[in-house]
Amino acid sequence: MKNNIPEHVAIIMDGNGRWAQAQGKKRTKGHKVGVDRAREIVEASVKLGVRCLTLFAFSSENWNRPEEEVSFLMELFIIALNREVKALNKNGVKLKFIGDIGAFNSKLQQSIVKAESITKDNDRLTLNIAANYGGRWDIIQAANQLIAETPGLSSVDETTLASKLVTADLPELDLLIRTGGETRISNFLIWQAAYAELYFTDTLWPDFDSSELEKAITIFSGRQRRYGLTGEQITKTEES
Ligand code: FPP
């Protein structure tokens, strides 16, 4: 972590529906504005020097929403992907989807593969879109890969398991933000959040602009991460 700017920030973007309903609009309007906000936060992250941003766009549980809303979201993802890929590429953003994307329709899967391939050599910011992702699914798919690779496997250690998680090549998660007033992790990066700072805000996602991100990062910078050590031990390590 350089100058107290977190290297890896993850966000649970919550509150689109409530934002729209509060204005007498359909929930889908909240999702549309949510995409605009995602674009703003990506741009702000590039400017601030964040190296990796992981956005929770669609959880494994989101399939249980009304069919109309799920179809709207799928269509919105395709439109947003096709529309934004050029600008992302120009800004040095490498796009990566994490999650079980095999469950999405083929049109969306094609847009994903294309966007990932166009941006694969960029290295300013890695933008991970968690789609059909669940933290428990991630741990289980990692374990299953290890079992498949090593016949007779009887035990694993942390490093080996972590090497098969979808975040294996990414920096450690430093800061996990959730908008929309709930104070839960909701099966997001449950393994990766072990030492992350958690930041909860009542601000609904369509209102979470770049100044809100800066505020979260400022608060993060003022917190001391102890990893189980005492404050004194940390000061000594920093001095040496
Ligand atoms: C959260 O609000 C929204 C979602 C889970 C849907 C997907 C997110 C977006 C459309 C934002 C843009 C993202 C990208 C990367 C394209 P909610 O519907 O859970 O709101 P509520 O809690 O008020 O019902």
Side-chain angles (χ1 to χ4, degrees):
M1 197 177 65
K2 263 189 221 151
N3 305 324
N4 275 341
I5 292 290
E7 233 179 315
H8 186 172
V9 177
I11 310 182
I12 301 175
M13 307 175 288
D14 199 9
N16 290 351
R18 277 168 288 157
W19 181 89
Q21 279 160 345
Q23 307 192 15
K25 291 177 181 143
K26 279 177 40 183
R27 292 175 55 83
T28 47
K29 170 72 181 168
H31 295 319
K32 271 192 178 170
V33 180
V35 173
D36 295 339
R37 216 45 67 228
R39 184 194 305 118
E40 177 174 345
I41 293 304
V42 171
E43 281 170 11
S45 300
V46 170
K47 283 193 189 123
L48 288 165
V50 171
R51 299 309 309 261
C52 181
L53 177 68
T54 303
L55 300 178
F56 205 5
F58 195 85
S59 74
S60 324
E61 291 75 28
N62 285 149
W63 293 110
N64 299 323
R65 293 196 174 194
E67 208 214 302
E68 195 189 285
E69 187 171 339
V70 173
S71 318
F72 179 88
L73 284 170
M74 296 300 134
E75 212 40 53
L76 185 67
F77 292 153
I78 295 170
I79 293 169
L81 257 179
N82 296 342
R83 192 182 59 201
E84 303 299 337
V85 68
K86 230 177 174 177
L88 291 172
N89 198 28
K90 210 170 134 206
N91 281 292
V93 177
K94 176 179 179 173
L95 191 64
K96 204 176 158 245
F97 275 73
I98 56 171
D100 192 4
I101 63 161
F104 292 129
N105 66 47
S106 59
K107 209 168 144 200
L108 179 50
Q109 288 192 49
Q110 277 165 21
S111 298
I112 291 173
V113 171
K114 195 169 160 204
E116 284 186 338
S117 134
I118 291 173
T119 62
K120 70 176 183 347
D121 295 325
N122 296 332
D123 62 0
R124 204 159 168 211
L125 172 84
T126 300
L127 172 61
N128 300 300
I129 305 291
N132 199 19
Y133 176 86
R136 290 181 180 172
W137 165 85
D138 194 3
I139 294 166
I140 289 167
Q141 68 77 28
N144 281 331
Q145 279 190 61
L146 290 171
I147 291 165
E149 280 172 18
T150 324
L153 181 76
S154 59
S155 71
V156 287
D157 58 25
E158 277 189 30
T159 316
T160 317
L161 192 84
S163 74
K164 298 294 179 191
L165 294 171
V166 292
T167 48
D169 301 328
L170 307 172
E172 282 282 321
L173 180 61
D174 296 308
L175 173 61
L176 173 61
I177 298 172
R178 180 173 188 150
T179 66
E182 309 286 356
T183 48
R184 290 188 291 273
I185 299 186
S186 297
N187 197 22
F188 193 26
L189 300 162
I190 51 175
W191 172 287
Q192 296 83 347
Y195 290 104
E197 288 292 332
L198 306 181
Y199 178 85
F200 299 104
T201 172
D202 287 336
T203 304
L204 303 172
W205 177 249
D207 289 326
F208 192 86
D209 59 12
S210 54
S211 69
E212 294 271 348
L213 177 68
E214 280 173 38
K215 190 170 138 196
I217 290 181
T218 305
I219 292 174
F220 165 86
S221 309
R223 291 186 192 162
Q224 192 182 50
R225 295 163 87 199
R226 296 190 176 173
Y227 302 98
L229 303 174
T230 68
E232 214 174 25
Q233 285 174 304
I234 297 274
T235 314
K236 271 194 191 143
T237 325
E238 281 169 356
E239 280 167 3
S240 64

